[in-house]
Amino acid sequence: MSGEIAADPLEATVRSIFNAHADRLQKGLGGRPGIEGYADGFEYLQSLLKPFPLDNRPPIVPNWNSELQPYFKSIFSNRLIAPLFEWYLQEVRAHQWMIGDEIIASMNEYEDTGDLDIVNKMLWRVGEWWDAWGTYVSLFNPYLEGSAGYRRTCSIHLNQTLPSSFSRAFRELILSTLPSYDPDAPLPDPDRSQVIFANLANLGLLSDYEHLMGMTLKEFTTGYVKETCGKVWNRQVWNETREWFTRTIQPWVEMAYTRTWMKTDAADSRAVVETVSVRYLWQMCEALAQLRISEIFDIIVDYPDSTPALNDLKECMFQTGTRRDLVDTLRALTKKRLLHPGADTKDILTQYVSTIRDRPDTIRTIVQHLIEPKSELIGEDNEEIKSLQDTSVLTDDYGDFTWMPEPADADAAFRSTRQTDIISTLVSIYDSKDIFVKELQILLGKRLLEIKDQNYDAEIRNLEILKLRFGDVALQGCDVMMKDITDSRRSDTQIHNLRLSQGGLAFQNPLPMHTTIISRLFWPPVQRSSLVMPGQFKKMQEDYAKSFSVTKPDRKIRFMSNVGSISLNLELSDRTVSLTDVTPLQAAIIELFSTKDIWSADDLAKELGGVDAPSVDKALEYWMDHGVLKSVGPKQYELLEVAEEHKPSGSRPIRRTVEESPGRTAEVEDQEAEQMRVYWQFIQGMLTNFGTLPTDRIHNMLKFSQTYNKTREQLAAFLDALKREGLVDFRDGTWRLVK
């Protein structure tokens, strides 16, 4: 052996161990007459494993797998396999400069010419280097991770050698395998694409550069959306885009990512491909949503011709959750393109009215602000309160000493000194103030029922101001509601005083119950429930009804058990739980647990009069959150007389859900829909004869009936209710019967 080899410390160690165990080596190895000298045997293995220039490759040992296996078995039996493999990897690292020189030369040529074939050829050449140097590495596999360790060593050096320009080359290679946006352009050569992915996968670069490949595909697909879908509003393009993805990108994903995850089994590989495809399709959907959001102002201007674009936006926004982006963008575009001195005031007002008029919550929002304490719409206490102004009638303020005549070239809509208040302007948007009055009655009723401290001063003040606005006659129903509240407070006081002042079995105990008594005919409908209060709550209701019959013999009361709130003190074995604002349903459920400790949710619902299961489940969750109940099985719950120890963090969290009050007042649309049921036969006949009709046409035709006195908004609400029932459908701005 040469002095250079002997000088290698690792090699010297291997030689010494090899010679020290020479007496244990077996003679007569197959294919070779034997190892007569153990130093010669080590040099023989070394000569086979040592890296070499690719252009000066030594001949491969014939039948090398069977020929050399006995050598490796003997080396393994003498515990020499690990040192030999480490020496081999050290040699591979030491000779990586041969591969590195070719890589640098090829990348320099690519940077000068931009020819991707140079990069592809370089990748194939590196793969040849790896295969040549690793010819016999699989012989280590029975004893250690031979092939994996070898390729890991080569991969580390490759990533260290590749220049920064390779990222650009990798991106260009990926793009060269993707189809053109132009449907008439020829598709990429599939054989060339297969070779590119094979070379990249062989070197592990698909895995190492997976993020860059993903970013490249995302840029390509989102670029396709912008290129082919921008300003295309006369047809829906999302379905076309999805079909294009399935036809062109899906096979590409299978080709690329199957090679990336080639070591996984077929089922896992398909799952990976499916996951990746869904992700990129979602990104295209988001790109289309963002594109339509950026075009939203022009789409609105082009409406109704741009209806297909709005349908695309609706579908994509639903899937990607970009509603907030739409709101922010539309607000910014409106401010930039409409709310500036150069815009025509008439255009600004037209868009404003058109925007809020068709919203279902506009009236409710306006009225909600009207009844709020210290509402800005109501005004300050020292402000002069005027009745609603008719904004359609033009009048001049003759007491205005700054009055100036209208300019000679002013149009008919010019206003110089016209003064209007906010409420009058908002009400004038709609055909009638009646819809405001009805909404006011509903929200006022809801607010009065929610007040627990019996302080109605703010509501009384606002109502008096609104009567000056809308008139006493219009708000007569609200007056009755306020009178009911006052009379109810008085009656409740009389009942409690009566029970305290009179003796007898019926009145000997104070009654921990206060009620609000309302007139059924003058209050907006309250959603009723089948809830039947059990135990002591039922007894309280019966006692209160008896006392009421004494104070008002000619009247009867009927309890709405689902409305109100209860304060409870639960006395358990080891603690007392005090709670306020408990709903009647929650109180009724815990009352039943005083009769037995374990209940099923179904039995509770039946015992309480057939209450719906979701409401029962929410009430049970409330008591579990407070540590009063626990679940002991499917829909089985047990009372915790003794509190359980606190569970460590990460256990079941307290739910902060608030149970929807089953006693909230019915929505305006539902009331008006019931009142308009008599017109359904007329509408059904119209749609049968004409096929499709817009809302305005239906409204105008119904006006021929002498009994029809509804507004367009009320009709629209009724039609929406019919749509929810599946009787009619609304498409392209017209209504039609559902067949």
Side-chain angles (χ1 to χ4, degrees):
M1 296 177 59
S2 66
E4 177 184 352
I5 296 178
D8 189 330
L10 179 61
E11 179 185 339
T13 302
V14 175
R15 277 182 73 85
S16 63
I17 297 175
F18 193 91
N19 290 321
H21 293 276
D23 57 337
R24 297 176 58 188
L25 290 175
Q26 298 177 3
K27 302 290 186 178
L29 297 176
R32 184 174 173 88
I35 302 180
E36 299 175 352
Y38 301 113
D40 293 339
F42 176 77
E43 290 179 357
Y44 174 65
L45 294 178
Q46 180 190 48
S47 65
L48 295 178
L49 295 173
K50 194 177 183 67
F52 48 81
L54 193 59
D55 296 334
N56 190 23
R57 180 174 184 169
I60 299 177
V61 177
N63 302 320
W64 58 268
N65 190 25
S66 58
E67 181 81 11
L68 299 179
Q69 272 187 5
Y71 286 97
F72 282 88
K73 288 181 180 178
S74 296
I75 292 173
F76 173 73
S77 64
N78 290 277
R79 294 176 292 179
L80 293 170
I81 199 75
L84 180 62
F85 184 65
E86 181 57 36
W87 169 85
Y88 168 62
L89 294 184
Q90 189 178 47
E91 287 295 310
V92 169
R93 297 186 194 100
H95 291 80
Q96 283 288 336
W97 60 269
M98 299 181 184
I99 304 176
D101 287 350
E102 284 198 11
I103 292 175
I104 298 301
S106 297
M107 290 304 300
N108 288 337
E109 186 178 358
Y110 161 74
E111 292 173 10
D112 293 337
T113 63
D115 187 357
L116 288 175
D117 288 338
I118 296 174
V119 180
N120 196 26
K121 183 178 179 181
M122 175 202 74
L123 297 175
W124 174 81
R125 178 77 172 174
V126 172
E128 281 219 318
W129 279 97
W130 288 14
D131 292 341
W133 288 1
T135 300
Y136 308 112
V137 72
S138 61
L139 293 169
F140 287 100
N141 290 345
Y143 318 107
L144 42 76
E145 293 184 352
S147 297
Y150 166 70
R151 297 192 72 84
R152 185 163 52 246
T153 299
C154 294
S155 179
I156 291 173
H157 183 269
L158 175 63
N159 283 298
Q160 293 174 345
T161 305
L162 288 172
S164 58
S165 59
F166 180 75
S167 295
R168 178 168 62 89
F170 179 91
R171 181 177 180 277
E172 294 297 329
L173 277 174
I174 296 299
L175 288 175
S176 69
T177 64
L178 289 165
S180 171
Y181 294 161
D182 185 0
D184 298 328
L187 294 175
D189 182 1
D191 294 335
R192 178 178 178 276
S193 299
Q194 290 284 359
V195 170
I196 291 175
F197 282 113
N199 290 336
L200 292 171
N202 182 44
L203 303 181
L205 294 176
L206 284 181
S207 298
D208 295 339
Y209 286 80
E210 182 183 3
H211 177 71
L212 179 57
M213 183 169 65
M215 292 297 297
T216 302
L217 183 57
K218 179 182 178 181
E219 292 175 8
F220 178 80
T221 53
T222 55
Y224 173 84
V225 171
K226 296 177 181 178
E227 180 76 17
T228 61
C229 304
K231 302 291 185 181
V232 179
W233 304 333
N234 59 346
R235 70 177 192 277
Q236 288 189 247
V237 298
W238 171 235
N239 289 335
E240 298 177 8
T241 303
R242 188 161 45 193
E243 292 173 0
W244 174 84
F245 180 90
T246 303
R247 186 176 62 255
T248 60
I249 303 301
Q250 183 84 26
W252 186 95
V253 170
E254 293 176 359
M255 177 175 58
Y257 281 86
T258 301
R259 292 181 178 276
T260 304
W261 300 90
M262 61 173 57
K263 294 183 180 180
T264 61
D265 58 39
D268 291 340
S269 179
R270 285 194 297 270
V272 169
V273 169
E274 182 67 24
T275 302
V276 171
S277 298
V278 170
R279 184 179 71 206
Y280 288 122
L281 187 60
W282 183 90
Q283 290 173 350
M284 291 188 71
C285 185
E286 183 185 36
L288 181 57
Q290 294 294 345
L291 177 64
R292 290 293 180 256
I293 289 173
S294 67
E295 300 170 340
I296 188 62
F297 194 92
D298 294 321
I299 291 175
I300 294 174
V301 173
D302 205 36
Y303 183 83
D305 295 338
S306 60
T307 299
L310 291 174
N311 292 332
D312 275 336
L313 174 59
K314 179 182 179 180
E315 183 174 355
C316 295
M317 190 169 61
F318 175 77
Q319 296 184 36
T320 59
T322 50
R323 181 180 179 275
R324 184 72 259 174
D325 295 339
L326 173 63
V327 173
D328 294 341
T329 302
L330 182 57
R331 180 183 291 117
L333 289 175
T334 302
K335 183 177 180 180
K336 177 181 179 181
R337 300 181 58 177
L338 189 67
L339 302 181
H340 57 81
D344 191 339
T345 304
K346 182 179 179 181
D347 293 339
I348 297 175
L349 295 178
T350 299
Q351 182 174 6
Y352 172 71
V353 172
S354 300
T355 301
I356 70 171
R357 181 188 183 117
D358 293 331
R359 287 180 59 96
D361 59 343
T362 300
I363 299 175
R364 187 179 303 111
T365 303
I366 295 173
V367 175
Q368 183 69 44
H369 284 289
L370 286 175
I371 65 173
E372 285 181 351
K374 299 182 179 180
S375 170
E376 295 181 0
L377 295 180
I378 291 293
E380 302 295 336
D381 292 337
N382 58 354
E383 289 185 10
E384 181 183 359
I385 301 172
K386 301 178 181 179
S387 61
L388 291 179
Q389 302 175 11
D390 186 356
T391 56
S392 64
V393 179
L394 307 181
T395 59
D396 288 323
D397 184 359
Y398 297 105
D400 183 8
F401 294 101
T402 63
W403 178 88
M404 293 291 291
E406 296 179 359
D409 57 348
D411 59 22
F414 183 83
R415 300 290 184 270
S416 57
T417 60
R418 175 71 170 154
Q419 295 182 352
T420 60
D421 64 274
I422 298 176
I423 298 180
S424 297
T425 302
L426 294 174
V427 172
S428 67
I429 295 174
Y430 297 88
D431 298 334
S432 171
K433 66 181 180 181
D434 293 342
I435 53 178
F436 282 90
V437 173
K438 291 180 180 179
E439 183 69 37
L440 180 60
Q441 288 178 327
I442 291 175
L443 293 182
L444 180 61
K446 180 178 179 180
R447 190 170 186 84
L448 291 175
L449 293 178
E450 291 175 347
I451 294 176
K452 299 181 178 62
D453 59 0
Q454 296 187 339
N455 182 6
Y456 305 100
D457 293 342
E459 283 66 32
I460 293 174
R461 171 188 173 274
N462 285 353
L463 179 58
E464 292 299 323
I465 294 176
L466 291 173
K467 285 165 62 177
L468 296 175
R469 291 284 197 183
F470 292 92
D472 291 345
V473 176
L475 297 181
Q476 186 176 6
C478 294
D479 275 339
V480 174
M481 294 165 62
M482 291 301 305
K483 186 176 184 300
D484 280 348
I485 292 295
T486 304
D487 293 345
S488 174
R489 184 166 48 182
R490 186 183 305 111
S491 297
D492 186 71
T493 302
Q494 289 177 355
I495 290 173
H496 284 84
N497 290 339
L498 180 66
R499 295 183 63 86
L500 293 175
S501 62
Q502 296 187 11
L505 182 62
F507 305 108
Q508 63 184 3
N509 296 321
L511 191 62
M513 177 179 179
H514 297 276
T515 64
T516 299
I517 304 171
I518 63 177
S519 303
R520 178 175 59 88
L521 297 177
F522 292 94
W523 281 66
V526 177
Q527 292 181 356
R528 298 184 180 275
S529 170
S530 60
L531 174 63
V532 176
M533 299 299 290
Q536 59 179 320
F537 298 113
K538 183 177 181 180
K539 182 66 167 54
M540 291 179 192
Q541 290 179 342
E542 293 172 349
D543 291 346
Y544 196 97
K546 292 178 182 178
S547 301
F548 181 81
S549 64
V550 173
T551 59
K552 297 186 181 297
D554 57 337
R555 299 175 63 185
K556 292 183 179 181
I557 60 173
R558 182 171 59 183
F559 288 96
M560 292 183 289
S561 298
N562 57 314
V563 183
S565 63
I566 300 174
S567 298
L568 293 177
N569 288 321
L570 304 180
E571 295 183 359
L572 303 171
S573 298
D574 63 337
R575 67 199 186 283
T576 298
V577 179
S578 298
L579 297 169
T580 59
D581 290 336
V582 178
T583 66
L585 177 58
Q586 294 166 351
I589 285 178
I590 206 62
E591 172 68 14
L592 290 178
F593 276 92
S594 65
T595 60
K596 65 177 184 179
D597 290 345
I598 299 179
W599 283 83
S600 70
D602 294 337
D603 290 343
L604 287 170
K606 293 177 182 177
E607 192 72 18
L608 296 175
V611 179
D612 61 281
S615 298
V616 173
D617 292 340
K618 287 184 179 180
L620 289 168
E621 287 180 3
Y622 174 84
W623 291 116
M624 286 192 292
D625 290 342
H626 285 83
V628 178
L629 300 179
K630 72 173 182 179
S631 176
V632 293
K635 289 186 171 295
Q636 296 287 324
Y637 302 89
E638 181 182 4
L639 179 68
L640 293 175
E641 283 285 355
V642 178
E644 292 185 336
E645 295 183 2
H646 292 293
K647 296 181 180 180
S649 60
S651 61
R652 180 180 181 271
I654 293 180
R655 291 181 174 90
R656 298 299 182 186
T657 55
V658 179
E659 181 172 342
E660 229 180 77
S661 172
R664 67 184 188 279
T665 53
E667 300 292 342
V668 184
E669 292 85 352
D670 295 335
Q671 295 181 54
E672 295 172 346
E674 289 302 322
Q675 296 171 3
M676 293 188 65
R677 286 288 170 184
V678 295
Y679 302 108
W680 164 234
Q681 296 297 331
F682 295 98
I683 297 173
Q684 188 178 24
M686 294 179 199
L687 297 179
T688 301
N689 294 328
F690 292 97
T692 61
L693 289 173
T695 305
D696 291 333
R697 182 80 179 276
I698 298 174
H699 180 59
N700 292 333
M701 294 176 70
L702 285 174
K703 285 183 178 180
F704 288 105
S705 172
Q706 295 180 353
T707 61
Y708 182 76
N709 58 355
K710 306 301 180 182
T711 64
R712 181 189 181 280
E713 288 71 29
Q714 290 172 310
L715 173 62
F718 177 55
L719 292 172
D720 285 334
L722 295 176
K723 181 181 178 182
R724 291 193 295 270
E725 296 175 14
L727 298 175
V728 297
D729 190 21
F730 185 75
R731 290 200 307 266
D732 300 330
T734 59
W735 296 94
R736 65 197 68 201
L737 292 174
V738 175
K739 298 181 181 179

